[in-house]
Structures are given as structure tokens and as C-alpha cells.
Amino acid sequence: MECPLLGRELVLPVCLLVNLMSSICIVVLNKWLYTYHHFPNITLTALHFVMTWLGLVGCAAAGLFKPTKLRIMSVVPLAMSFCGFVVFTNLSLESNTVGTYQLMKAMTTPCIVVIHTYFYNKRYSVPVLLTLIPITLGVVCNSYYDVRFNVWGTAYATIGVLVTSVYQVWVGTKQTELEASSMQLLFYQAPISACMLSVVVFLQEPPWSSTGLFSILTLRVSALVLLSGVVAFSVNLSIFWIIGKTSPVTYNMVGHTKFCITVLSGTLIFHDPISLNQAVGMFLTFSGVLTYTHFKIGEQSSKNSGTQHMKTSA
């Protein structure tokens, strides 16, 4: 659906810019709330889920996508993994430097390859498998030489990678199984996940406690939380637009740009120290991710060309 306020030729550049800026801003805003306002982590995640669902309701009313009826129980496992990956990813961001947080997320790629290989009998080419070596070595190198390394941060990041990998695999299988788009799934996931986390919030981060929501919710903090929720939703919405209007090459190159700028923002805004050895680790990981994307896109293009050729021959 085209935006009536923009010319058709401007929609794609605007969507790319919105996705780039919002993806970086959400990391900075969340880190700011954790570092300078000690905002309760799970509470923030639950609020984001609520705002995401409200945003989706607005998008559905505007005709940007059409909700479909799904059985609640069929979405519950996905919603649980959705809770887990967002919560532990945010705990990783809270406990680690931005650079380490970003690099640990890159381990999702090797983890998904392992899950696909051993549980779904999917095979990857040798060039693709070889690109996992620099990704893994880079993450290990960065973590080893991180001057702010801590055990809890590493544990949160590791669990976050595992749960994120499972979630991403399930999203793909559930979309096929339920014949629903990612936005249609998210329309159900977000409120179910918010309800699940609300129970955890009342048990682990009661709003009335000395460190709970009510004690720290000043006007400034409220504005930051509202802004972070809007930005979190804009990330999802812009991804929805971009995937429908561009090739995987364009979307992945935007992802690589976000990778670099997010790491840089941690150094400039939060003064995260980066040693030479850490920089080497970051370079190895980024090179591996870039090469992995190159091979995967090449394989997908060859597959699509072969399919198209078979259809033409038929």
C-alpha cells in the first residue's frame, strides 16, 4: 500500500531510512533507560508488546494488512519463544556493552544453521558453512578481550541467541503451517506475550516496589518509554514495507549498515571501550556475516532462476 503523502519514488527510500534509524534508536533508547534510569527490563518489554499490538490494530484499521483468524493455542508456543528472545536480548543489552551485545546477536546465524541441520534435515553448502568460522571466532575474540566482560551478561546473551534462533525457525514453519504472514502472526503474538509477561512482572518486578514502575515513572521517563515503544513498532512496520518492496540484497545491506552504526553508537554515546583485539573480533564477525549473506543470496538467486527456467520450459 502506497503512502498518499509521498510520491511512489520516495516510499522505498523513506522506508529504508525509517528502518535504519529506528533500529539504531531502539538500541540506544533501551540502553539509556537501563543505564541511566534503571528501568525494569521485563516491564519495558511488556509495554513494548502492548504498544506493538496497538500499532498493529491501527495498521489493520488503515488497511495495511488484513488480520486472519488463528487458533490461540497454535500461537502460544511462538508467543512464549517471542517473550524469551526479546527479554533475554534486552537483558543482554542491559548487562553488556553495545558492541558485545550486537556481536553476540550475530551468533544467531550459526545457531540456526545447527538447528536446521540436526532437527529439520536441511543441508547447507560448504561455502556457507565456512563463513560461520569467522563469525564464531570474531564473537569469541570480542568477548575474551571485552574489558567489561561479565558472566551474567554472557549467560543472558547466550540464552538470547538460543531462544532467538528457535523463534526465527518457528516463525518460518508457523507461517507455512498456519498460512499467515509475519504481521498476522505478530497481531496474535504481541497481546499473548504481553499477558504472559504481565504475570512475570507482578512476580519479579512488582510496579509498587522500590525499584518498580511506579517509583521511577517520571514525566521524562514516561516520554522515553513511549518513544521507545513507538520506535520498536516502527522497526516492525518498516521491515514489513521493505520486504515487500525490495530485494534481499537491499534489505541485508541495510542490516550490515545497522550493525556498524550500532557498534559505533555504543562507543560514542555510552563510551564503551573497544580494544584493538575487540576491533579485530568485530571485523571478523562482520566479514563473516557479509560473506554469508553474499553466498546465501547467490544460492537463492540461482534457485529462483532454475525454478523460473523450469516453468518456462514447461
Side-chain angles (χ1 to χ4, degrees), residues 2 27 65 114 126 135 166 209 252 255 270 274 276 283-284 298:
E2 302 293 345
V27 173
F65 79 102
V114 171
V126 173
I135 294 176
V166 171
S209 67
N252 278 282
F270 299 102
I274 297 179
L276 178 60
F283 176 76
L284 279 172

Side-chain angles (χ1 to χ4, degrees), residues 230-252:
V230 172
V231 171
F233 173 68
S234 72
V235 172
N236 294 321
L237 186 60
S238 57
I239 288 174
F240 171 66
W241 275 336
I242 291 170
I243 290 175
K245 295 181 180 295
T246 126
S247 67
V249 177
T250 303
Y251 180 69
N252 278 282

Side-chain angles (χ1 to χ4, degrees), residues 181-248:
S181 69
S182 58
M183 295 293 282
Q184 289 170 330
L185 279 177
L186 190 59
F187 186 76
Y188 276 81
Q189 286 172 228
I192 295 174
S193 298
C195 291
M196 290 177 175
L197 285 187
S198 64
V199 177
V200 181
V201 167
F202 278 95
L203 293 175
Q204 298 294 325
E205 300 174 351
W208 54 83
S209 67
S210 58
T211 57
L213 180 65
F214 297 153
S215 63
I216 61 175
L217 200 60
T218 63
L219 182 61
R220 181 178 181 181
V221 172
S222 299
L224 286 172
V225 171
L226 179 63
L227 180 60
S228 69
V230 172
V231 171
F233 173 68
S234 72
V235 172
N236 294 321
L237 186 60
S238 57
I239 288 174
F240 171 66
W241 275 336
I242 291 170
I243 290 175
K245 295 181 180 295
T246 126
S247 67

